[in-house]
Amino acid sequence: MAEPPVLFKRTKPKHTQRSRLSTPDPDAAPTTGEDDSPSAVAAKLKKKTRAKAKSTLSFGGDEEEGEGEVFKLKKSSLSKKLQLGKSSIGIPPSAFEPTIARQSTGPTYDAAYLSQLKASTPTARPPVLTGESYDVDVSMDVDSPGQLSTLSSIADDAGAETAIPSASSILAAKEKRDRLRKSKVGEDFISLSLTKRDDFSQGPHPESRLMREEDELGDADDEYAEFTSAQERIALGKKSRKKEAQKRRAEMNEMIIDAEEEDEETQEWEQEQLRRGGLRPESAEPAPKPVYKPAPIPPVTPIPTMGAAIARLTQSMSELTTSHAQHSAAMSKLGEEQRLLDAREKEMREMIAKAEDKRSWFNAFREWVESVATFLDEKFPPLEKLEDEHISLVKERADMVAARRRAEDEDDLMLFLGTPPSLQPQPEEVDELGRTIPSANSPHARANRNAARESRRLRRRATNQQARQEEEGFSTDSELPQGDEDDYRTAMGQLLADAKGIMADVKADEFRDPNAGLGKWFGEWRSKFGDIYTGAWGGLGMIGAWEFWVRLEILGWDPLERPRSLDSFSWYKSLYNYSRPSEADDEDEPELGPDGDLVSAMITTALIPRFCRILEGGGLDAYSATDIRRLVDLMEEIEISVDKQNPKFELLLKSVHSVFSTAVEATEATLAPFLELNQPRFDPAAIPARRRFLTRRYKLLRNLVQWRKHAGDRYGLGTLAIRLVTSSMLPVAESGWEVGGEDIMRKVVQALPSELIPPSLQHLRAT
């Protein structure tokens, strides 16, 4: 039974509660009573359907009720089905509504209502209809007798007692359902799926019933992939692009072949389509079909004669002979080509083998060169540090000798030219500890210097027979005091020990001995790949790497203090033998290799720069005849390997000139304040003092002239000698010409070449 429509009324002023309770709603359904019969339910459904059809919305006044406008709310089909379902199982609508007491304002739940609600609540599913199934979704026609009978049967079944199935029956029903689902057979089993799940892809999650859009069957990308190029990939690599180009060419060729092939059926079809399209008139007759024509019977051939056959055979024989000769010539030519190809192949294989050997050798050589470079990067900094330390020791020693010689010159000049204001004795000073600081020009200091000079002279005379014959001032007098000399020797010994410590952590022979490393690898390079070695100037590259061991070997060696021949060094012998790889007779000297004389290259690269630093740092004493003699011997030995026009050799000559120039300038600087004062005094010690000063300058002049004979008049050596005579020696000699000055200047004139004698001394040469 359908639920009565809900009414929305526009009421007038409120009535009393009594009138509201006493005036029932004529359309309201009764709240009490017994369950309606099936016929009553059908009548109510029919009435509800008709009322629904007639229901309209009126905004005017209602003549029947007179209380206001009534608006009826239409129920949805779902609520109708729900009500119909309730009616079909025998549950009255009033069973779910509480009993409303007329006397109270709210619902009241009593014991009778609760019992009724409990009795009307179903405890199990409604029984399955054995007859024709009932579908609530189908619109009902209450007027049909069949529908009424069905509703009546439903109501009767609903009134019957409901049977609750047992657990065993439920379990059996479930097992039967599972078996039917697995076997998919049976009369009462209907599959809900139109397709099999095995017929299409299960997707990435087959256990899930959710389906993604790309997992659906019939996707246009897969169905029309051949026409939409959905599965084509862009070729990125070289091989893939080449393969795609070949594929496109093959497809184009296939399309061209398909377009060119035409059979009779295709032509007939095309003609028919042209005719239907009106492009060809219908009157045109089809092409005639070919008519079979039998092959003609050949005429009778006459029997060949013997002469014709012999002639034909002779001609064939001559042709075969010519063809055989041609083929034989072609075969011999091919054989010659095959022989040349085999020889070429053998040559190519040898070239490939040589190239492989060359590649492997150069890879090993490169790795070894990198290891040598790493070794030199690590060892060169400490070597250069020790070289600087050696130069500092030599310079310190030379400064001590020069300071003592300048002090002695000043003492002698003060005896016969007076004491300038800058050298006047200063008052004694006291340090913070109360000790007296001695003055450098005090009488006591000068007396100490004279005593020390006398003691050195006596010691030299006792040890050297030649020194006994030399006059005072002529000896070099470049020895250090005993304490300073011991300290210098100790420092040089520590320097040599540190030089040995550079290679203390090196154990490999190829790094300790350059012959085992550099000589071996560069020798193999020159013997195996001589053209590459010569083009890459391999000899000079080896010199650049060998320089470390050469500088390490000559570290601490002063060529003027400890004379030593260059060929006594191990590096000299190694480079000499490497430069002459060919063996020669005992009498003849081996010929030089493609590198030339590598000894000369090493001297110009490593030795000459080192000698220049030592000479300029104080290794050469311009007043020492021994140093000049040893220097000349060293230069003659270097000239054997190095050309005099070599720029590095010029640097060595310039370094020697700078030493003499420094000595002359120091003499002029020392003499200038005394010549400016020029206050001679009577002192018995003035005559020997003047002689000592002039004798030292005379010795400097002799050394300068001797060096000029060897080196030539380069860098103005002659001018420097004239400058020493005129600016330093002649003014002092003139101050005591009768007491020794004239004798010294006569020696000067004899020592100087004729072109260097000043005009003021020409009269001494004539006498």
Side-chain angles (χ1 to χ4, degrees), residues 405 460 466 470-471 473-478 621-629 660 691-706 724 729 744 747-748 751:
R405 186 177 290 130
R460 284 196 304 271
Q466 182 180 0
E470 294 178 351
E471 59 179 315
F474 194 80
S475 61
T476 303
D477 198 18
S478 59
D621 187 3
Y623 291 90
S624 174
T626 305
D627 288 355
I628 299 301
R629 185 171 58 255
F660 282 106
R691 184 176 293 275
R692 285 195 301 269
F693 181 83
L694 291 175
T695 302
R696 281 193 288 267
R697 305 290 89 77
Y698 171 67
K699 189 173 184 180
L700 176 61
L701 179 63
R702 284 185 57 181
N703 293 337
L704 180 58
V705 172
Q706 184 180 359
L724 174 63
M729 298 182 68
I744 297 296
K747 294 180 180 180
V748 170

Side-chain angles (χ1 to χ4, degrees), residues 232-250:
E232 290 186 1
R233 297 293 183 269
I234 298 176
L236 299 178
K238 184 177 181 180
K239 285 187 175 180
S240 57
R241 291 198 298 269
K242 184 177 180 181
K243 190 178 294 183
E244 289 293 334
Q246 293 177 355
K247 183 177 179 182
R248 287 196 298 271
R249 286 196 295 269

Side-chain angles (χ1 to χ4, degrees), residues 27 29 93 165 199 310 327-328 332 369 431 438 479 497 532 540 690 764:
D27 297 334
D199 296 341
I310 292 174
H327 291 168
S328 299
S332 62
V369 168
D431 59 5
E479 292 86 358
I532 301 178
L540 295 181
R690 182 183 294 105
L764 296 179

Side-chain angles (χ1 to χ4, degrees), residues 264 268 286-292:
E264 295 181 358
E268 292 179 359
K289 296 182 178 181
V291 179
Y292 172 75

Side-chain angles (χ1 to χ4, degrees), residues 576-639:
Y576 181 85
N577 296 330
Y578 182 86
S579 302
R580 296 162 177 81
S582 60
E583 297 181 359
D585 299 336
D586 297 338
E587 298 179 357
D588 299 335
E589 185 179 359
E591 296 182 358
L592 291 174
D595 302 318
D597 189 7
L598 295 181
V599 175
S600 173
M602 181 59 72
I603 292 175
T604 57
T605 302
L607 265 68
I608 291 181
R610 179 65 179 169
F611 290 162
C612 291
R613 292 189 61 189
I614 293 176
L615 295 179
E616 294 176 357
L620 174 62
D621 187 3
Y623 291 90
S624 174
T626 305
D627 288 355
I628 299 301
R629 185 171 58 255
R630 292 174 180 175
L631 177 62
V632 171
D633 295 339
L634 179 63
M635 296 298 291
E636 290 177 351
E637 190 174 3
I638 292 176
E639 288 175 1

Side-chain angles (χ1 to χ4, degrees), residues 261-271:
E261 292 180 357
E262 292 185 0
D263 52 359
E264 295 181 358
E265 294 181 358
T266 303
Q267 293 179 357
E268 292 179 359
W269 180 83
E270 290 179 354
Q271 294 296 330

